[in-house]
């Protein structure tokens, strides 16, 4: 029987990423290595400046409401791939990422487990000191809670993503919410051993320790039942955007 490799849709939610988007598109194409991959950029900024900066005419351009959940769902709606990869604009993929995703999802089926989702391990550019500890704590969290976050490049079989109803329309914690719903269904998640590399810019901009501890507090409160809308207001207030 002839093997037909799956088509991938790489969905990039963007917010003022004009300076970086073309480099990321080139990176994805290089990592794809000739595979059938469509790239979708979903821009939530009113100016759509990221879309305006795109040089690759084959990239699918989507304008969406502000908010990562809305942007990713809009990108998924435009996608035609068998496997959906949600890639943050400040994150890059490891070598063999596409083969690893396919293999990880196939292993779920081969082992008789239910589910069609997965993620990579977290890697942080230039990680040393406290950021190196953040990486290791993320590895431990993955083993204990099976809850990979969005900056770990979550991926799904497209049929399974639609079965889940996509990301919940909430202002933050959409990545935690969807993984929690998967676990509540009793389904399995493919956690790959390869690491993505995400930029350390947000840690450095806000302070490495402060940013990390704030995120832990927000996720803990969410796990305790505090609504995402409430957490979003607190988050924006602390950033001076309320």
């Amino acid at each position: 029987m002839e093997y037909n490799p799956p088509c991938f849709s790489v969905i990039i939610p963007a917010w003022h990423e004009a300076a970086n988007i073309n480099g990321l598109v080139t990176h994805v194409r290089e990592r794809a290595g000739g595979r059938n991959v469509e790239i979708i950029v979903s821009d939530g900024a009113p100016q759509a400046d990221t879309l305006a900066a795109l040089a690759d005419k084959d990239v699918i351009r989507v304008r969406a409401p502000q908010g990562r959940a809305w942007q990713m769902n809009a990108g998924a709606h435009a996608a035609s791939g068998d496997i959906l990869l949600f890639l943050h604009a400040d994150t890059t993929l490891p070598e063999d990422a596409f083969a690893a995703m396919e293999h990880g999802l196939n292993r779920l089926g081969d082992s008789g487990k239910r589910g069609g989702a997965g993620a990579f391990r977290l890697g942080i550019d230039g990680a040393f000191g406290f950021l190196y500890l953040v990486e290791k704590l993320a590895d431990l969290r993955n083993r204990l809670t099976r809850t990979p976050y969005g900056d770990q490049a979550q991926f799904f079989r497209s049929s399974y993503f639609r079965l889940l109803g996509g990301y919940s329309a909430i202002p933050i914690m959409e990545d935690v919410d969807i993984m929690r719903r998967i676990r509540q269904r009793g389904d399995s998640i493919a956690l790959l051993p390869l690491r993505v590399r995400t930029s350390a810019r947000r840690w450095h901009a806000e302070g490495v320790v402060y940013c990390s501890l704030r995120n832990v507090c927000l996720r803990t409160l969410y796990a305790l039942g505090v609504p995402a809308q409430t957490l979003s207001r607190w988050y924006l207030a602390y950033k001076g955007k309320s």
Side-chain angles (χ1 to χ4, degrees):
M1 182 180 297
E2 183 180 355
Y3 171 65
N4 294 314
C7 171
F8 288 83
S9 294
V10 180
I11 299 160
I12 304 171
W15 177 262
H16 298 313
E17 293 289 348
N20 305 314
I21 193 63
N22 288 310
L24 181 59
V25 169
T26 299
H27 164 78
V28 171
R29 298 233 185 266
E30 290 173 349
R31 287 290 190 254
R35 285 176 172 267
N36 186 8
V37 173
E38 67 177 7
I39 300 175
I40 301 167
V41 176
S42 186
D43 195 342
Q47 305 90 333
D49 53 304
T50 304
L51 298 185
L54 282 166
D56 189 325
K57 295 181 179 179
D58 291 327
V59 172
I60 298 172
R61 294 154 168 81
V62 173
R63 297 191 68 166
Q66 179 182 349
R68 191 168 275 155
W70 288 270
Q71 290 171 240
M72 292 191 293
N73 284 338
H77 182 74
S80 62
D82 305 303
I83 298 174
L84 309 179
L85 167 64
F86 295 91
L87 183 66
H88 288 188
D90 62 352
T91 300
T92 57
L93 298 168
E95 293 185 14
D96 300 322
F98 290 93
M101 285 185 280
E102 183 182 358
H103 180 64
L105 292 173
N106 287 341
R107 283 188 62 188
L108 290 181
D110 293 342
S111 63
K113 295 178 179 178
R114 299 189 308 165
F120 294 83
R121 295 171 73 183
L122 176 66
I124 303 172
D125 276 342
F128 63 92
F130 194 83
L131 286 180
Y132 177 78
L133 177 61
V134 170
E135 280 190 350
K136 297 308 175 185
L137 289 175
D139 291 342
L140 178 62
R141 184 198 69 238
N142 286 339
R143 289 196 297 270
L144 294 178
T145 70
R146 313 293 289 182
T147 308
Y149 295 158
D151 55 8
Q152 295 173 236
Q154 294 175 345
F155 57 88
F156 306 81
R157 292 197 185 279
S158 59
S159 57
Y160 184 68
F161 182 79
R162 294 183 172 96
L163 176 66
L164 294 170
Y167 287 100
S168 295
I170 52 180
I172 58 175
M173 302 296 166
E174 76 289 332
D175 51 349
V176 176
D177 170 82
I178 199 167
M179 290 297 157
R180 184 167 67 179
R181 285 188 279 130
I182 291 170
R183 295 198 320 274
Q184 288 172 343
R185 289 172 52 90
D187 294 349
S188 296
I189 300 167
L191 297 177
L192 305 184
L194 302 178
R195 290 189 189 275
V196 295
R197 305 302 303 181
T198 192
S199 171
R201 63 185 183 181
R202 66 181 185 272
W203 281 283
H204 291 314
E206 299 179 23
V208 173
V209 176
Y210 169 78
C211 181
S212 300
L213 293 180
R214 180 206 59 208
N215 291 343
V216 169
C217 289
L218 289 172
R219 286 159 182 158
T220 300
L221 290 169
Y222 184 68
L224 292 173
V226 178
Q229 290 78 4
T230 301
L231 295 177
S232 177
R233 289 195 295 270
W234 292 348
Y235 175 75
L236 293 174
Y238 277 117
K239 295 190 75 172
K241 295 183 179 181
S242 60

